[in-house]
């Protein structure tokens, strides 16, 4: 039985919390606004069946948690809240604690290691789709692959990361260890940068974006620019060239998700801040850092930012 | 009393037709779909007061017009119909006939001179705002400057162009001769390329686009790319640098039109084809012709094209 803290009880955090608690662990929640969570039971429905659990404590004050020795802290806030979340939990990280970052986009690991020793910071690439219908109730709509867990620079003893992945997997959430989690995360960044802002801006499903020759050209340009940015920053990707990724993107990645709208679409619609800063915005920063402006990514970034409240 | 043909009786064509007929000229209309114009009276309202006229003939068949000796043919179809319109009228151009092109964007003059001798083809830069409420009824909402009339390469005897400008001016439509009509047209192309697609895409007024830092950055990039494209194509502009135009754009051009939506916004909303091909699309072609891809213009072009039916 482990002590586990979930930071952020949104669409992803709620799933982890409920499954881990059902599996018998002690599960705590740290949230920004306690009032939103005045429910005694958290529930998950969808493709993995019905699940529910009562957490040990939900609080907005890290002080309430300082006497717990956490084995795992899962950070599942939106990427624009990563820095604040890390500041809130850094004093809760003890000798045995590992922090797993599950957020979208680039820059979460880079932010976390400013406050927490690198070997304690793991990435968990989440690629199941989940949404919060109302507070304390999430629905899992699709699962593309295991949650892939690893230390980006392989600085953590492998057996310990494997054990963590097993803990997650035993709850019923498909999960596995990855020795190349950084590359795996970049696969998802590519996918999200190409599809999310266009789907949100044009109110189109992934399949529609892939069928239209004009949006297809924009997505291809976004992908090519990201490959350029990664090469200039010496970031290694799973694909040899943009063309190789583009082929995989249209033939393998789009078809199973063709009817989906991106979460960014729902964010814009409901007046929420989007994750564009950790996606195309991060690409622009990484490019400009080395003197290259990825103009298509920057234009798309500016368009989404202009629509945020 | 002159014989005048108006090709295209939309928002702009209707204004010319009614004012010229009221002034005593013989005015004919050539339209694509005669059925849409089953009215005996054409009317104009708005900032220039109420005007109405019955035209001498409205037809969709150029054959019906072959016995008329036209002094002036005003082409006021949408820019994407220019080529077809020119083909329809080329046999109606006699010794004394001048053709005035009033369309938006780049490429109308270049298309017309493939079929009609250059010295007979004039540009009329229209910058009054007008909309068709219902068929045969237009409303003039704003006027930024005279209709500026000239031969782009100054190949026509100056006195003849001045006489034409006077004919228009005497009807009550502010008009004047311009020795630099090509530069004047490019001022409008710059303005339209920066504002129209963004206003249409984001459903924002000109003033809102100029206030938001993100759309402002996109507009500045669009303008800079156009200056680059013009320089590479040896096209002379009225402004020394993009920065000089940008300063003029925000301080002088935007304020009087800040509450306007672009016509492209109404076109997209009503499922009509837009004029993007003659605006940012033409910029992309002009750039790529000389090996330079204006990426921001191309991205914006692709976004609008993806939304056209």
């Amino acid at each position: 039985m482990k002590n586990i803290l979930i930071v952020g009880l949104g669409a992803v955090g709620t799933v982890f919390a409920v499954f881990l608690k059902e599996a018998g662990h002690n599960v705590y929640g740290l949230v920004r606004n306690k009032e939103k969570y005045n429910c005694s039971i958290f529930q998950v429905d969808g493709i993995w069946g019905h699940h529910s659990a009562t957490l040990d404590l939900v609080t907005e004050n890290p002080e309430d948690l300082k006497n717990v020795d956490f084995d795992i802290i899962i950070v599942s806030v939106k990427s624009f809240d990563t820095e604040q979340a890390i500041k809130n939990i850094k004093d809760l990280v003890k000798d045995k604690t590992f922090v797993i970052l599950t957020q979208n986009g680039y820059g979460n690991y880079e932010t976390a290691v400013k406050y927490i020793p690198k070997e304690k910071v793991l990435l968990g690439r989440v690629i199941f789709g989940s949404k919060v219908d109302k507070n304390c109730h999430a629905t899992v709509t699709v699962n593309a692959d295991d949650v892939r867990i690893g230390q980006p620079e392989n600085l953590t003893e492998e057996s310990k990361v494997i054990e963590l992945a097993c803990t997650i997997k035993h709850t019923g959430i498909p999960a596995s260890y990855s020795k190349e989690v950084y590359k795996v995360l970049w696969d998802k960044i590519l996918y999200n940068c190409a599809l999310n802002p266009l789907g949100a801006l044009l109110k189109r499903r992934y399949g529609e974006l892939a069928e239209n020759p004009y949006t297809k050209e924009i997505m291809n340009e976004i992908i090519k620019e990201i490959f350029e940015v990664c090469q200039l920053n010496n970031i290694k990707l799973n694909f040899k060239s943009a063309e190789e990724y583009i082929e995989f993107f249209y033939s393998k990645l789009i078809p199973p998700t063709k009817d989906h709208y991106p979460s960014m679409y729902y964010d814009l619609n409901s007046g929420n801040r989007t994750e564009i800063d950790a996606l195309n915005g991060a690409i622009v920063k990484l490019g400009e850092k080395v003197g290259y402006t990825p103009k298509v990514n920057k234009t798309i970034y500016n368009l989404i930012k202009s629509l945020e409240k």
Side-chain angles (χ1 to χ4, degrees), chain A:
Chain A
M1 189 157 71
K2 292 183 162 147
N3 291 325
I4 299 170
L5 175 63
I6 314 291
V7 187
L9 288 168
V12 168
T14 299
V15 175
F16 280 111
V18 169
F19 278 66
L20 284 159
K21 183 65 201 175
E22 268 194 341
H25 301 290
N26 299 320
V27 179
Y28 302 78
L30 181 62
V31 296
R32 208 170 36 180
N33 185 355
K34 173 84 172 68
E35 279 173 28
K36 281 172 64 184
Y37 300 92
N38 53 355
C39 46
S40 56
I41 299 176
F42 282 79
Q43 296 181 77
V44 176
D45 282 298
I47 57 168
W48 295 334
H50 179 76
H51 301 265
S52 67
T54 300
L55 306 192
D56 294 273
L57 179 72
V58 176
T59 178
E60 55 187 34
N61 187 0
E63 282 290 304
D64 296 346
L65 302 161
K66 69 179 181 198
N67 294 324
V68 187
D69 273 345
F70 288 110
D71 297 281
I72 310 173
I73 299 178
I74 296 178
V75 180
S76 50
V77 296
K78 290 273 188 183
S79 53
F80 48 78
D81 280 331
T82 296
E83 183 136 22
Q84 187 56 53
I86 296 294
K87 284 182 185 169
N88 289 345
I89 60 153
K90 68 178 169 44
D91 294 335
L92 302 174
V93 177
K94 312 274 166 68
D95 271 0
K96 67 169 181 177
T97 316
F98 285 103
V99 177
I100 306 178
L101 306 171
T102 69
Q103 292 108 310
N104 260 335
Y106 175 83
N108 298 296
Y109 174 71
E110 291 69 14
T111 298
V113 299
K114 288 195 282 177
Y115 303 94
I116 299 167
K118 280 183 170 185
E119 67 276 12
K120 294 186 158 296
V121 182
L122 309 177
L123 285 176
R125 191 275 333 248
V126 168
I127 201 161
F128 60 76
S130 162
K131 56 184 179 189
V132 175
D133 309 285
K134 50 185 188 289
N135 285 327
C136 313
H137 185 267
T139 302
V140 181
T141 55
V142 62
N143 183 37
D145 190 13
D146 287 3
V147 176
R148 306 291 294 273
I149 300 169
Q151 209 290 333
E153 303 173 71
N154 292 316
L155 300 173
T156 309
E157 213 177 299
E158 210 167 31
S159 65
K160 289 190 178 165
V161 186
I162 291 171
E163 205 235 313
L164 275 173
C166 280
T167 301
I168 307 281
K169 189 177 168 68
H170 273 92
T171 68
I173 297 173
S176 55
Y177 165 65
S178 171
K179 206 168 178 153
E180 298 198 308
V181 73
Y182 210 60
K183 283 187 182 175
V184 167
L185 183 78
W186 270 98
D187 288 352
K188 193 184 173 197
I189 294 173
L190 279 161
Y191 180 82
N192 286 337
C193 284
L195 290 164
N196 292 21
L198 282 185
L201 187 63
L202 303 171
K203 304 180 197 302
R204 295 275 164 90
R205 294 166 200 272
Y206 291 169
E208 294 174 296
L209 295 175
E211 270 163 30
N212 183 293
Y214 300 104
T215 44
K216 203 170 162 177
E217 181 164 6
I218 297 173
M219 292 195 294
N220 293 349
E221 289 299 317
I222 287 173
I223 292 166
K224 285 178 198 165
E225 286 185 353
I226 298 177
F227 270 80
E228 182 73 22
V229 164
C230 285
Q231 195 177 20
L232 291 169
N233 280 280
N234 209 20
I235 293 169
K236 298 277 173 281
L237 300 175
N238 262 330
F239 296 81
K240 281 195 208 79
S241 65
E243 289 66 30
E244 193 183 296
Y245 179 79
I246 286 169
E247 158 68 19
F248 184 71
F249 178 72
Y250 291 111
S251 66
K252 297 283 185 280
L253 297 181
I254 298 272
T257 56
K258 68 182 168 52
D259 294 326
H260 283 254
Y261 289 100
S263 59
M264 202 177 280
Y265 165 83
Y266 300 105
D267 286 338
L268 274 193
N269 260 3
S270 41
N272 292 331
R273 186 170 165 189
T274 73
E275 297 200 284
I276 193 76
D277 283 287
L279 295 171
N280 310 70
I283 299 300
V284 173
K285 272 199 187 164
L286 271 173
E288 293 187 337
K289 205 179 72 179
V290 293
Y292 166 69
T293 301
K295 282 192 163 194
V296 180
N297 278 278
K298 193 167 187 177
T299 304
I300 296 296
Y301 168 79
N302 278 326
L303 286 168
I304 295 292
K305 290 304 278 187
S306 82
L307 288 170
E308 282 185 353
K309 290 280 178 301

